[in-house]
Amino acid sequence: MATTTQHSPPSDREKVHLSGAQETMLGTLFGRAQDAENEKPILNDTWAGHVLDQIDYDFTKLKMDRMQSIAICMRSRTFDRWTSEFIRSHEDTGATIVCLACGLDSRSLRLEWGPKVRWIDLDLPDVVALRRKLLPSPDGDYKLVEASVTEDAWLNDIPADRPTLVVLEGLVMYLTAEDGEDLVRRLVEHFPSGQLAFDAVGSLMIYLQSWNRMLKATGTTMSWGLNYPQALEALNERLKLRDVARFGDQDGANELPYAVQWVAWALSVLPYLKDLGYILRYEF
């Protein structure tokens, strides 16, 4: 398996031409690859370096810093844990895992899941085409779907025969409120039981997004902000908030340098700052 220190000749690399929210997935990839090279990684996603080594893209454009990489990897590690917990808790019945806007994420490769699990990764056609070139498909009941999350057909094609976890990592803030709320309603109405796991930002973060260098570099705009964690409970009476993980609550926070732990604490408990963003797990 390659790492970020093993570089292919530029002529052998896949040129990547993405923009907007799709381009931000390259920042996520870069952050995970940087982390995997650290002596004490948070996520240790070695697949990220494998992918990074195959593409031709100027990552300096994204102006990623160490703090962003830390946040990306703590978020992914939290989603990994929640996914593994869901799979273990449904070993008897089996489970479906659906990762929307999967990008170049390797969760289906880095986690263990058995024959009773159906795994579906979904993204837009150009992203799926790139993913097929750069990442192998895992063994088992796996499907990679080309679709927009705002369409209906892909959801109708997923059997609603078992508990389902839907992971929406790095997605909902780029949807309009109307599209996001409609997506949540459709998911809860389609599956008989399960969980939704996603990261969200508050309206203050929407207001401050011009300070985010990666968003500015990619021409991306965040649109949908949730001002309090329980906001989506109003969309369906079956939908209940289960967990809120602010920055200081996320997996790996206690492994950070002490100075960064203080920042994490402030972003978790201080008024206004604690609602800049969080990771949420709902059940239905």
Side-chain angles (χ1 to χ4, degrees):
M1 186 181 301
T3 69
T4 54
T5 57
Q6 298 173 316
H7 299 295
S8 302
S11 59
D12 295 338
R13 297 185 184 182
E14 184 72 25
K15 290 187 178 295
V16 177
H17 303 286
L18 298 172
S19 61
Q22 289 176 278
E23 193 173 6
T24 63
M25 76 177 187
L26 299 175
T28 302
L29 173 71
F30 186 71
R32 296 199 312 266
Q34 280 191 320
D35 170 74
E37 290 190 334
N38 290 333
E39 184 177 344
K40 295 181 179 180
I42 295 170
L43 182 65
N44 197 28
D45 178 9
T46 53
W47 282 103
H50 171 78
V51 173
L52 198 72
D53 189 44
Q54 300 177 69
I55 60 179
D56 182 2
Y57 179 82
D58 181 12
F59 285 94
T60 62
K61 167 187 176 181
L62 301 177
K63 304 183 187 302
M64 294 281 294
D65 58 35
R66 174 62 178 150
M67 197 67 185
Q68 286 177 298
S69 296
I70 288 172
I72 286 167
C73 293
M74 288 171 55
R75 180 184 73 180
S76 292
R77 182 166 150 181
T78 302
F79 283 130
D80 279 4
R81 176 171 59 84
W82 286 354
T83 302
S84 295
E85 286 176 359
F86 191 84
I87 291 171
R88 287 195 302 270
S89 65
H90 296 93
E91 288 180 344
D92 294 336
T93 61
T96 297
I97 307 297
V98 181
C99 293
L100 301 182
C102 63
L104 298 173
D105 183 73
S106 64
R107 181 164 292 115
S108 59
L109 293 165
R110 65 179 181 260
L111 297 187
E112 294 184 5
W113 50 284
K116 289 188 176 181
V117 175
R118 174 192 299 122
W119 194 298
I120 298 168
D121 283 335
L122 179 145
D123 214 315
L124 294 169
D126 52 348
V127 175
V128 168
L130 181 63
R131 183 184 177 95
R132 287 196 171 112
K133 295 177 181 178
L134 302 176
L135 282 169
S137 293
D139 296 329
D141 186 357
Y142 176 80
K143 188 174 183 180
L144 180 57
V145 177
E146 302 177 11
S148 167
V149 298
T150 60
E151 298 170 350
D152 292 325
W154 65 268
L155 183 56
N156 296 331
D157 289 341
I158 300 177
D161 60 346
R162 61 186 77 171
T164 300
L165 168 67
V166 184
V167 180
L168 310 92
E169 183 175 5
L171 170 63
V172 301
M173 65 285 295
Y174 301 120
L175 300 174
T176 64
E178 180 180 2
D179 284 343
E181 291 176 358
D182 179 66
L183 174 61
V184 170
R185 289 191 186 97
R186 288 188 291 122
L187 290 170
V188 176
E189 291 168 1
H190 181 75
F191 297 111
S193 65
Q195 297 177 357
L196 304 180
F198 59 96
D199 49 317
V201 300
S203 58
L204 180 58
M205 180 62 80
I206 298 290
Y207 177 75
L208 296 173
Q209 66 180 298
S210 61
W211 292 8
N212 187 307
R213 295 185 297 176
M214 185 172 69
L215 294 183
K216 187 180 296 185
T218 58
T220 306
T221 301
M222 296 188 294
S223 300
W224 188 22
L226 299 181
N227 287 327
Y228 56 98
Q230 300 88 348
L232 298 189
E233 289 184 347
L235 299 181
N236 189 298
E237 62 181 8
R238 298 171 56 215
L239 199 56
K240 303 298 180 185
L241 179 66
R242 172 172 171 165
D243 293 293
V244 181
R246 292 180 169 85
F247 191 50
D249 306 319
Q250 294 171 28
D251 289 33
N254 61 348
E255 302 168 19
L256 300 175
Y258 288 121
V260 181
Q261 287 190 36
W262 277 104
V263 174
W265 174 85
L267 292 173
S268 301
V269 302
L270 296 183
Y272 301 108
L273 292 182
K274 68 185 181 70
D275 292 324
L276 285 174
Y278 20 63
I279 301 176
L280 305 175
R281 178 162 54 165
Y282 278 78
E283 57 187 4
F284 56 92

mmCIF file of all heavy atoms in Angstrom, residues 9-25:
data_model
loop_
_atom_site.group_PDB
_atom_site.id
_atom_site.type_symbol
_atom_site.label_atom_id
_atom_site.label_comp_id
_atom_site.label_asym_id
_atom_site.label_seq_id
_atom_site.Cartn_x
_atom_site.Cartn_y
_atom_site.Cartn_z
ATOM 1 N N PRO A 9 5.379 9.151 -10.952
ATOM 2 C CA PRO A 9 5.764 10.206 -11.893
ATOM 3 C C PRO A 9 4.536 11.010 -12.299
ATOM 4 O O PRO A 9 3.448 10.455 -12.472
ATOM 5 C CB PRO A 9 6.319 9.412 -13.081
ATOM 6 C CG PRO A 9 6.717 8.096 -12.512
ATOM 7 C CD PRO A 9 5.748 7.823 -11.407
ATOM 8 N N PRO A 10 4.641 12.340 -12.441
ATOM 9 C CA PRO A 10 3.492 13.169 -12.776
ATOM 10 C C PRO A 10 2.721 12.680 -14.002
ATOM 11 O O PRO A 10 1.503 12.780 -14.052
ATOM 12 C CB PRO A 10 4.122 14.551 -13.009
ATOM 13 C CG PRO A 10 5.367 14.533 -12.172
ATOM 14 C CD PRO A 10 5.859 13.121 -12.232
ATOM 15 N N SER A 11 3.430 12.136 -15.000
ATOM 16 C CA SER A 11 2.759 11.702 -16.220
ATOM 17 C C SER A 11 1.858 10.509 -15.993
ATOM 18 O O SER A 11 0.959 10.224 -16.797
ATOM 19 C CB SER A 11 3.803 11.355 -17.290
ATOM 20 O OG SER A 11 4.661 10.317 -16.821
ATOM 21 N N ASP A 12 2.070 9.775 -14.889
ATOM 22 C CA ASP A 12 1.274 8.592 -14.604
ATOM 23 C C ASP A 12 0.067 8.893 -13.729
ATOM 24 O O ASP A 12 -0.727 8.003 -13.451
ATOM 25 C CB ASP A 12 2.141 7.535 -13.900
ATOM 26 C CG ASP A 12 3.249 7.010 -14.809
ATOM 27 O OD1 ASP A 12 3.086 7.125 -16.041
ATOM 28 O OD2 ASP A 12 4.252 6.508 -14.281
ATOM 29 N N ARG A 13 -0.060 10.110 -13.293
ATOM 30 C CA ARG A 13 -1.131 10.447 -12.358
ATOM 31 C C ARG A 13 -2.405 10.855 -13.076
ATOM 32 O O ARG A 13 -2.393 11.328 -14.205
ATOM 33 C CB ARG A 13 -0.668 11.562 -11.422
ATOM 34 C CG ARG A 13 0.507 11.175 -10.552
ATOM 35 C CD ARG A 13 0.833 12.285 -9.580
ATOM 36 N NE ARG A 13 2.028 11.970 -8.803
ATOM 37 C CZ ARG A 13 2.513 12.748 -7.852
ATOM 38 N NH1 ARG A 13 1.909 13.893 -7.577
ATOM 39 N NH2 ARG A 13 3.593 12.406 -7.199
ATOM 40 N N GLU A 14 -3.523 10.666 -12.354
ATOM 41 C CA GLU A 14 -4.836 11.016 -12.878
ATOM 42 C C GLU A 14 -5.095 12.500 -12.633
ATOM 43 O O GLU A 14 -5.078 12.969 -11.496
ATOM 44 C CB GLU A 14 -5.908 10.181 -12.169
ATOM 45 C CG GLU A 14 -7.302 10.380 -12.688
ATOM 46 C CD GLU A 14 -7.521 9.763 -14.042
ATOM 47 O OE1 GLU A 14 -6.795 8.802 -14.388
ATOM 48 O OE2 GLU A 14 -8.410 10.254 -14.761
ATOM 49 N N LYS A 15 -5.320 13.247 -13.706
ATOM 50 C CA LYS A 15 -5.629 14.671 -13.558
ATOM 51 C C LYS A 15 -7.040 14.819 -12.998
ATOM 52 O O LYS A 15 -7.970 14.159 -13.449
ATOM 53 C CB LYS A 15 -5.508 15.389 -14.899
ATOM 54 C CG LYS A 15 -4.070 15.517 -15.389
ATOM 55 C CD LYS A 15 -3.990 16.392 -16.627
ATOM 56 C CE LYS A 15 -2.554 16.556 -17.093
ATOM 57 N NZ LYS A 15 -1.739 17.300 -16.100
ATOM 58 N N VAL A 16 -7.179 15.697 -12.035
ATOM 59 C CA VAL A 16 -8.461 15.887 -11.367
ATOM 60 C C VAL A 16 -8.972 17.290 -11.664
ATOM 61 O O VAL A 16 -8.268 18.284 -11.434
ATOM 62 C CB VAL A 16 -8.320 15.694 -9.843
ATOM 63 C CG1 VAL A 16 -9.648 15.960 -9.150
ATOM 64 C CG2 VAL A 16 -7.834 14.275 -9.542
ATOM 65 N N HIS A 17 -10.196 17.356 -12.175
ATOM 66 C CA HIS A 17 -10.821 18.642 -12.489
ATOM 67 C C HIS A 17 -12.175 18.696 -11.789
ATOM 68 O O HIS A 17 -13.193 18.254 -12.328
ATOM 69 C CB HIS A 17 -10.982 18.811 -14.002
ATOM 70 C CG HIS A 17 -9.698 18.694 -14.777
ATOM 71 N ND1 HIS A 17 -8.746 19.688 -14.785
ATOM 72 C CD2 HIS A 17 -9.202 17.688 -15.541
ATOM 73 C CE1 HIS A 17 -7.719 19.312 -15.536
ATOM 74 N NE2 HIS A 17 -7.975 18.106 -16.002
ATOM 75 N N LEU A 18 -12.180 19.224 -10.584
ATOM 76 C CA LEU A 18 -13.407 19.367 -9.812
ATOM 77 C C LEU A 18 -13.527 20.809 -9.347
ATOM 78 O O LEU A 18 -12.551 21.559 -9.327
ATOM 79 C CB LEU A 18 -13.392 18.436 -8.594
ATOM 80 C CG LEU A 18 -13.324 16.930 -8.863
ATOM 81 C CD1 LEU A 18 -13.116 16.174 -7.563
ATOM 82 C CD2 LEU A 18 -14.576 16.441 -9.564
ATOM 83 N N SER A 19 -14.729 21.193 -8.965
ATOM 84 C CA SER A 19 -14.936 22.548 -8.463
ATOM 85 C C SER A 19 -16.051 22.522 -7.423
ATOM 86 O O SER A 19 -16.782 21.542 -7.285
ATOM 87 C CB SER A 19 -15.312 23.499 -9.610
ATOM 88 O OG SER A 19 -16.524 23.090 -10.228
ATOM 89 N N GLY A 20 -16.166 23.618 -6.695
ATOM 90 C CA GLY A 20 -17.229 23.741 -5.707
ATOM 91 C C GLY A 20 -17.123 22.712 -4.604
ATOM 92 O O GLY A 20 -16.033 22.305 -4.193
ATOM 93 N N ALA A 21 -18.287 22.258 -4.121
ATOM 94 C CA ALA A 21 -18.321 21.323 -2.999
ATOM 95 C C ALA A 21 -17.590 20.025 -3.314
ATOM 96 O O ALA A 21 -16.989 19.414 -2.421
ATOM 97 C CB ALA A 21 -19.763 21.032 -2.612
ATOM 98 N N GLN A 22 -17.614 19.595 -4.572
ATOM 99 C CA GLN A 22 -16.908 18.372 -4.943
ATOM 100 C C GLN A 22 -15.400 18.511 -4.726
ATOM 101 O O GLN A 22 -14.734 17.555 -4.330
ATOM 102 C CB GLN A 22 -17.187 18.026 -6.399
ATOM 103 C CG GLN A 22 -18.605 17.542 -6.675
ATOM 104 C CD GLN A 22 -18.820 17.319 -8.159
ATOM 105 O OE1 GLN A 22 -19.098 18.246 -8.908
ATOM 106 N NE2 GLN A 22 -18.703 16.084 -8.582
ATOM 107 N N GLU A 23 -14.882 19.696 -4.970
ATOM 108 C CA GLU A 23 -13.432 19.892 -4.820
ATOM 109 C C GLU A 23 -12.998 19.837 -3.357
ATOM 110 O O GLU A 23 -11.844 19.504 -3.062
ATOM 111 C CB GLU A 23 -13.019 21.221 -5.448
ATOM 112 C CG GLU A 23 -11.523 21.373 -5.632
ATOM 113 C CD GLU A 23 -11.146 22.621 -6.409
ATOM 114 O OE1 GLU A 23 -12.055 23.438 -6.721
ATOM 115 O OE2 GLU A 23 -9.952 22.795 -6.718
ATOM 116 N N THR A 24 -13.912 20.139 -2.441
ATOM 117 C CA THR A 24 -13.545 20.098 -1.027
ATOM 118 C C THR A 24 -13.176 18.687 -0.577
ATOM 119 O O THR A 24 -12.468 18.518 0.420
ATOM 120 C CB THR A 24 -14.674 20.628 -0.128
ATOM 121 O OG1 THR A 24 -15.833 19.780 -0.246
ATOM 122 C CG2 THR A 24 -15.042 22.059 -0.497
ATOM 123 N N MET A 25 -13.645 17.655 -1.317
ATOM 124 C CA MET A 25 -13.289 16.289 -0.925
ATOM 125 C C MET A 25 -11.791 16.054 -1.055
ATOM 126 O O MET A 25 -11.230 15.182 -0.381
ATOM 127 C CB MET A 25 -14.055 15.264 -1.761
ATOM 128 C CG MET A 25 -13.547 15.076 -3.177
ATOM 129 S SD MET A 25 -14.465 13.779 -4.043
ATOM 130 C CE MET A 25 -13.488 13.680 -5.563
#
